[in-house]
Amino acid sequence: MTYKIKQIPEDFIVDEISNVKSNQQGRFLYIEVKKKNRNTLDVVKELAKQLKIPLNKIGFAGSKDKHAITTQLFSIANCNQSKLKEVNIDNVTLKFIGYGNEPITLGDLEGNRFTVTVRNLNKIPEGKIDFCENYFDEQRFSKNNKQVGEFIVRKQFKEAVELLELPVTQNNYVGSLQKIPKRLSKLYVHSYQSYLFNQSLQQYVKNGKKVEYSLGTFIFGDKKEDIKLPLPGFGVEIQDQQILKKENITLNDFIIKQFPELSMEGTFRDAYVKVKEFSIETENDELNNGKKKAIVKFILPKSCYATIVIKKLFA
């Protein structure tokens, strides 16, 4: 079934379900940030610029989609409410929530509430989704993130630099990579880990409806099991190393002596996630004449992809 999402920002609405508790006073100012067609990091940079503070004084629980309308909490260290009133950022509204003694850091949320409009439909799928395979979706991989991460893990630094088209001085490829912001370079290695997880999950599910993506195939089944699968890295025990053998790597390859900060410890991720408060409504699609649109609402835990739920629904 051919469908369209994110034709306009209003088609993808994300509201963060925060676990942060605010008070009447504290070292950190908490604000609700509602943005449209803006990256979370772009908003952080602009906010820091206008407040004339370092970037690391602003905290948030997770990055939100750009092509969407999203709401999330930020913390700002040593900032009073009056300064906030002077901030003016295009397509962004700020709302004072309160104060606290702790910064908001990555992972400080319960999950996200999604309202996704799916367009260009001839018919609407029946039933509901109670659970979903917990794949990483395209947003995790971008254009070359997985490949760059793989090169770094394999210590093929020259190939990583060439793929990123970075300037090189006297064949110092490690030096070129070290100039990349640490947050971004970590993302490359995380992307490769995510790809390996997807491969393991696909192998685990085995049978079901198939949906192609840029790095392979998602397989969606009709059974859910309470099981965790590995995000490979050093220091974790993995019983089934079939995926690693196929990739011709070992867990110790994630120890990167040239970049200690990029050495990735292994962990585990839920193979399936519960989809809460799922609902679907049908309307005429005003952007695609003669077609229908589905307004799909649901809640997911943190670090899960709404687009995966949509792919399963319309597989």
Side-chain angles (χ1 to χ4, degrees):
M1 183 186 296
T2 301
Y3 63 85
K4 298 178 181 179
I5 61 171
K6 299 185 180 182
Q7 277 196 276
I8 56 176
E10 288 78 6
D11 286 350
F12 204 83
I13 300 173
V14 187
D15 294 310
E16 183 178 87
I17 303 172
S18 178
N19 58 14
V20 174
K21 305 298 182 184
S22 63
N23 298 302
Q24 298 298 315
Q25 57 185 9
R27 289 182 50 234
F28 295 90
L29 179 77
Y30 296 153
I31 60 173
E32 182 184 85
V33 179
K34 185 175 183 179
K35 63 182 184 61
K36 175 180 176 180
N37 266 350
R38 300 288 302 251
N39 284 324
T40 297
L41 286 178
D42 290 340
V43 176
V44 170
K45 290 175 182 177
E46 185 60 31
L47 187 58
K49 179 182 176 181
Q50 294 194 26
L51 291 175
K52 299 178 181 179
I53 59 174
L55 288 174
N56 62 10
K57 297 295 184 183
I58 301 175
F60 56 93
S63 294
K64 296 288 185 283
D65 294 78
K66 176 180 179 180
H67 302 294
I69 295 176
T70 69
T71 304
Q72 64 187 123
L73 292 190
F74 282 12
S75 65
I76 309 174
N78 303 316
C79 178
N80 59 51
Q81 193 176 349
S82 61
K83 284 186 178 180
L84 201 63
K85 295 178 181 179
E86 301 172 4
V87 174
N88 185 11
I89 305 175
D90 290 342
N91 293 323
V92 176
T93 58
L94 307 178
K95 178 182 176 182
F96 170 73
I97 298 297
Y99 295 93
N101 289 317
E102 298 293 334
I104 296 175
T105 58
L106 292 176
D108 282 343
L109 71 162
E110 296 294 333
N112 292 288
R113 185 183 300 275
F114 295 93
T115 303
V116 183
T117 300
V118 187
R119 299 182 181 273
N120 199 46
L121 301 174
N122 292 316
K123 62 178 182 178
I124 305 298
E126 297 179 356
K128 60 179 293 189
I129 291 183
D130 296 312
F131 71 91
C132 187
E133 289 75 3
N134 198 17
Y135 292 108
F136 292 93
D137 208 356
E138 299 282 9
Q139 304 94 302
R140 185 71 160 184
F141 306 108
S142 190
K143 184 179 179 182
N144 293 314
N145 287 2
K146 173 261 180 185
Q147 189 64 63
V148 172
E150 181 178 348
F151 282 145
I152 292 173
V153 169
R154 295 183 187 277
K155 319 304 186 291
Q156 295 176 241
F157 304 121
K158 177 182 177 181
E159 288 83 353
V161 167
E162 290 175 345
L163 187 56
L164 291 170
E165 300 182 354
L166 298 176
V168 183
T169 303
Q170 296 180 340
N171 293 328
N172 184 6
Y173 299 106
V174 170
S176 294
L177 289 170
Q178 286 175 333
K179 294 178 182 178
I180 299 174
K182 187 166 69 172
R183 180 191 291 268
L184 180 57
S185 54
K186 278 188 172 183
L187 179 63
Y188 295 134
V189 181
H190 284 316
S191 181
Y192 185 48
Q193 287 181 303
S194 303
Y195 163 76
L196 296 175
F197 175 88
N198 279 3
Q199 293 295 97
S200 295
L201 181 52
Q202 179 216 66
Q203 177 181 280
Y204 186 82
V205 179
K206 291 182 181 178
N207 299 311
K209 295 180 179 179
K210 297 181 178 180
V211 176
E212 301 300 317
Y213 79 112
S214 63
L215 297 177
T217 306
F218 298 128
I219 301 179
F220 298 106
D222 56 6
K223 295 181 180 179
K224 176 191 175 185
E225 297 185 47
D226 185 14
I227 186 172
K228 293 179 182 289
L229 295 177
L231 276 164
F234 73 89
V236 66
E237 290 187 14
I238 298 178
Q239 301 299 321
D240 184 358
Q241 298 203 6
Q242 184 177 341
I243 298 297
L244 297 179
K245 291 176 180 177
K246 185 177 179 181
E247 289 283 310
N248 194 27
I249 61 170
T250 69
L251 295 176
N252 284 339
D253 286 329
F254 286 89
I255 299 174
I256 306 169
K257 295 179 181 178
Q258 297 87 342
F259 298 96
E261 67 274 17
L262 298 188
S263 294
M264 293 297 169
E265 195 169 1
T267 185
F268 289 87
R269 174 180 170 91
D270 288 327
Y272 300 88
V273 293
K274 188 173 183 179
V275 180
K276 297 180 180 180
E277 297 184 21
F278 180 93
S279 69
I280 184 168
E281 299 176 5
T282 306
E283 295 180 4
N284 292 325
D285 186 355
E286 70 280 6
L287 297 185
N288 301 278
N289 291 334
K291 302 285 187 176
K292 297 289 186 180
K293 68 179 182 183
I295 301 170
V296 189
K297 299 180 180 181
F298 51 91
I299 292 175
L300 290 179
K302 61 185 178 182
S303 302
C304 300
Y305 290 78
T307 47
I308 293 292
V309 175
I310 298 301
K311 286 176 179 177
K312 178 168 186 171
L313 179 64
F314 290 93

